[in-house]
Amino acid sequence: MVGAVGGTGVSVVLAGPLSDVLGLSITVPDSLPGPVWGAAALLLPGIGLAAWTLLGSREVLRRDPCLTARAHS
């Protein structure tokens, strides 16, 4: 989330200077992400974290709990 907000801020700040350098008409609304990209930036990391947590816990849950407790005590 910090990266999405930081990247959006940098793109808004650089919209004016880059439009002058590149000779293009870049406005501030053009530099903001669309709603689909915003939702993807907020939702996909959580979905990925949940999926990898479930995949990783499958291996741990297959082991005998007594053997795991002995190994860590």
Side-chain angles (χ1 to χ4, degrees), residues 10-57:
V10 169
S11 70
V12 167
V13 169
L14 292 178
L18 282 178
S19 68
D20 295 339
V21 170
L22 297 174
L24 299 172
S25 151
I26 303 172
T27 62
V28 172
D30 291 336
S31 64
L32 295 174
V36 174
W37 284 105
L42 295 176
L43 295 176
L44 288 179
I47 292 169
L49 180 63
W52 285 112
T53 300
L54 289 173
L55 290 174
S57 66

